[in-house]
Amino acid sequence: MLRQELPAILTTVVAIVVFLGGILFSLDEMNVLSEIDSWIQLMGNMALFLGGINLCKLHVNNIRKRRQHWIFSVWLLIVFGFFTVLGLAKGSQDPLYKGLYDALIVPVNASMHSIAAFFLCSAAFRAFRVKNLDSILLLVSGAFVMLASVPIGDLISSNIPVISDWLLNIPGSAVARAMSNGMFFASFAATLRIFLGLERRHLS
Amino acid sequence: MFWKKIVDLDPKIIYLFVGIALMIPVIRPIGLPLRISSYTQDFYDYLMSIPEDSIVFLDLAFRETGEAELGASVLPVFELLQKRGVKVIVGGQWEQAPFFMQRRLEEVADRIGSVYGVDWVNIGYKPGGTATWRVMMEDFWKGAAGVDCMKNRFEDLPLMHRVRKLDKDTFAAIIIWEAGSPGQGTWMQYAPDIPLLAVYMSGIGGNVRYLRSGQVKACIGGMQHAAELEKLTGTYGDAIGLLDAQTLGILVVLGFIVLGNIAWVIEKNASSVE
């Protein structure tokens, strides 16, 4: 009851209140929605705290069971613990905390992302083969958009940015709109199932 | 045999060429001529049309991975607004950027004589997702927990006394640097009456639909537009130099794609003859 029914009932009740809040002025005047928002904000902070605990539990288990790459879990816990203690004790604007973050996390994360450029190039070399009309269209339109995104495109021909703009504005826009509408309806249907208590997998 | 080798080219050779292409312009910039695109011109014109002494919210919704492309345009926009006397509130739907951009913003502010708390404030990241921003729309101080990113109380920051609500009467515009979700959708859904400007990562791409619909008033994307913005504002930073590297990188990618296709077609024809 407590694990399944109560969260489902709470979800449905809150969903009804929020829905009615959107269409009834009286609820808006009673600040019901802003009160719910404050609760969501509070729960967001609690979720952050729970996320930290879950992360620790997961990696402690990895170490205890000597799972593959468990040594990285040790490293994660050391860094996690160090930054948590330092942040709580000195604050996020402490020179040591900020210095470590700026000197380590920022360049390491940026480097990890930059490596994708190499993999992308290698993958493009193998994937972009002109096997049929579809792949020719993909390759040609991709080449126009890529060239237009750097100054050399305009130097080669002033038509390249024009063609790229047309590709983005007309077919690209239409397809992106269609996809986002499709995604909206799909997520709306999924949310509705949760609101009505039909979908409970997230509670198990 | 040669073409077969090209078709089965070792990825390490491709990595080597890409590495060289990216490194050369960083060591010795080429200085390719830069034409100002209509997107950047419109974006710049919109920034110039924001009245002096009004307040703009900069939403730095990205993390370290987006620093090179998105961070490059934060500084020229910040500098331009501050020089024009537009007040700036910096915040972020993502945790990292308001934190690691603080130092770079401080450097710009020190150089141009902007005073923290009077001309600009960084409220930092506020957890809680869209609910937090909705609370700020009713009561900015409550939603932002009444402190900036350095735990200064809003009471002690003169600019914050003008910021009581996240609404169109307080903010002349919201400018978002977007690397994913959460991003511009928050402002489109909950603050559609505040003019929204957007800076996208790796080009505008499919986001041009929001410009066409009017949900975004002006937008730029990628390193090229950041470099164009630097040129327009006269604030020369990283973007113009890095754009040369991106140009050579793209040429190498296209070169390998063309070479790969030639090799693949020749190899296919040769094997069908056999």
Side-chain angles (χ1 to χ4, degrees):
Chain A
M1 171 71 184
L2 276 177
R3 288 179 69 88
Q4 290 276 338
E5 301 300 324
L6 192 63
I9 292 167
L10 274 174
T11 307
T12 308
V13 169
V14 173
I16 291 168
V17 171
V18 171
F19 178 71
L20 290 177
I23 54 173
L24 292 180
F25 288 106
S26 54
L27 278 180
D28 199 29
E29 285 160 12
M30 286 159 65
N31 285 331
V32 173
L33 294 185
S34 55
E35 200 57 44
I36 290 174
D37 279 341
S38 299
W39 276 94
I40 296 172
Q41 211 183 349
L42 178 71
M43 285 189 287
N45 284 288
M46 285 174 70
L48 211 63
F49 179 68
L50 284 175
I53 293 175
N54 270 340
L55 186 81
C56 290
K57 275 174 72 176
L58 180 83
H59 287 279
V60 166
N61 265 341
N62 281 351
I63 297 164
R64 199 180 288 155
K65 293 178 180 169
R66 292 285 191 275
R67 287 193 182 124
Q68 196 185 12
H69 306 310
W70 62 273
I71 197 75
F72 294 124
S73 295
V74 176
W75 181 238
L76 182 137
L77 288 176
I78 291 169
V79 175
F80 182 80
F82 177 73
F83 266 91
T84 305
V85 171
L86 189 66
L88 288 173
K90 301 261 188 180
S92 62
Q93 295 298 320
D94 176 68
L96 178 63
Y97 187 94
K98 248 182 113 56
L100 278 172
Y101 191 90
D102 286 347
L104 286 173
I105 311 295
V106 175
V108 166
N109 256 327
S111 304
M112 290 290 286
H113 187 64
S114 307
I115 290 170
F118 295 87
F119 297 128
L120 271 173
C121 186
S122 174
F125 174 72
R126 279 165 226 295
F128 280 119
R129 295 279 193 257
V130 284
K131 290 175 181 170
N132 49 37
L133 182 64
D134 294 355
S135 57
I136 293 170
L137 284 174
L138 179 69
L139 178 60
V140 172
S141 54
F144 275 114
V145 174
M146 279 166 80
L147 282 172
S149 69
V150 284
I152 199 92
D154 192 39
L155 282 177
I156 295 168
S157 165
S158 58
N159 287 325
I160 288 177
V162 178
I163 294 167
S164 167
D165 275 355
W166 181 84
L167 285 167
L168 290 175
N169 271 305
I170 311 299
S173 229
V175 171
R177 274 268 179 226
M179 280 173 66
S180 54
N181 283 346
M183 282 189 283
F184 167 75
F185 285 118
S187 63
F188 181 74
T191 312
L192 201 61
R193 281 182 62 81
I194 295 171
F195 285 173
L196 296 174
L198 299 171
E199 183 66 61
R200 297 186 184 188
R201 271 180 293 185
H202 63 291
L203 300 173
S204 57
Chain B
M1 195 62 195
F2 170 76
W3 295 112
K4 176 87 176 102
K5 276 184 183 173
I6 296 290
V7 171
D8 301 327
L9 195 63
D10 187 345
K12 291 187 194 78
I13 295 170
I14 300 174
Y15 299 160
L16 180 71
F17 275 91
V18 174
I20 292 168
L22 295 178
M23 268 192 294
I24 288 173
V26 175
I27 298 163
R28 194 181 173 84
I30 303 164
L32 289 163
L34 199 58
R35 188 179 61 88
I36 308 296
S37 67
S38 60
Y39 294 109
T40 314
Q41 189 63 54
D42 291 346
F43 190 88
Y44 175 77
D45 290 345
Y46 201 98
L47 292 179
M48 294 299 283
S49 72
I50 296 171
E52 188 183 325
D53 203 42
S54 54
I55 304 171
V56 168
F57 186 79
L58 308 189
D59 176 7
L60 309 184
F62 61 96
R63 54 182 302 190
E64 301 83 4
T65 49
E67 197 206 356
E69 279 205 307
L70 292 174
S73 53
V74 172
L75 303 179
V77 169
F78 176 73
E79 186 170 339
L80 180 71
L81 292 173
Q82 290 285 279
K83 277 181 175 171
R84 291 196 55 245
V86 177
K87 310 296 179 190
V88 169
I89 303 291
V90 180
Q93 295 187 68
W94 288 32
E95 185 199 347
Q96 297 89 348
F99 181 68
F100 66 76
M101 289 302 290
Q102 171 71 5
R103 184 174 51 82
R104 299 180 69 185
L105 291 169
E106 279 171 359
E107 285 169 7
V108 174
D110 289 346
R111 179 161 49 77
I112 60 175
S114 291
V115 180
Y116 188 81
V118 177
D119 299 310
W120 70 289
V121 167
N122 183 355
I123 64 162
Y125 166 74
K126 304 292 175 188
T130 49
T132 299
W133 304 104
R134 285 201 302 269
V135 174
M136 283 192 206
M137 283 159 200
E138 294 296 320
D139 184 342
F140 197 95
W141 288 34
K142 184 183 172 193
V147 288
D148 72 353
C149 69
M150 290 172 281
K151 300 285 181 280
N152 295 311
R153 286 150 44 91
F154 284 172
E155 285 93 343
D156 304 328
L157 305 168
L159 177 59
M160 294 313 295
H161 289 274
R162 289 176 59 193
V163 183
R164 292 294 180 171
K165 282 187 174 184
L166 184 53
D167 61 6
K168 67 177 168 51
D169 295 328
T170 310
F171 288 95
I174 294 172
I175 307 174
I176 182 171
W177 279 260
E178 182 183 273
S181 180
Q184 60 189 358
T186 304
W187 307 119
M188 286 176 190
Q189 192 173 356
Y190 299 111
D193 47 356
I194 305 177
L196 179 66
L197 284 82
V199 182
Y200 304 112
M201 202 162 151
S202 314
I204 294 169
N207 288 302
V208 78
R209 67 189 188 275
Y210 298 118
L211 190 66
R212 285 168 61 80
S213 68
Q215 287 164 292
V216 168
K217 301 298 174 200
C219 66
I220 55 173
M223 194 66 80
Q224 184 178 11
H225 290 166
E228 290 170 12
L229 198 64
E230 279 186 357
K231 192 177 172 185
L232 273 174
T233 56
T235 51
Y236 294 101
D238 300 332
I240 288 177
L242 292 175
L243 187 60
D244 286 345
Q246 204 171 54
T247 306
L248 278 195
I250 281 177
L251 287 179
V252 168
V253 174
L254 286 174
F256 270 110
I257 291 172
V258 171
L259 185 69
N261 274 293
I262 292 169
W264 181 73
V265 170
I266 292 173
E267 188 59 23
K268 197 175 77 165
N269 288 343
S271 51
S272 62
V273 168
E274 283 169 17

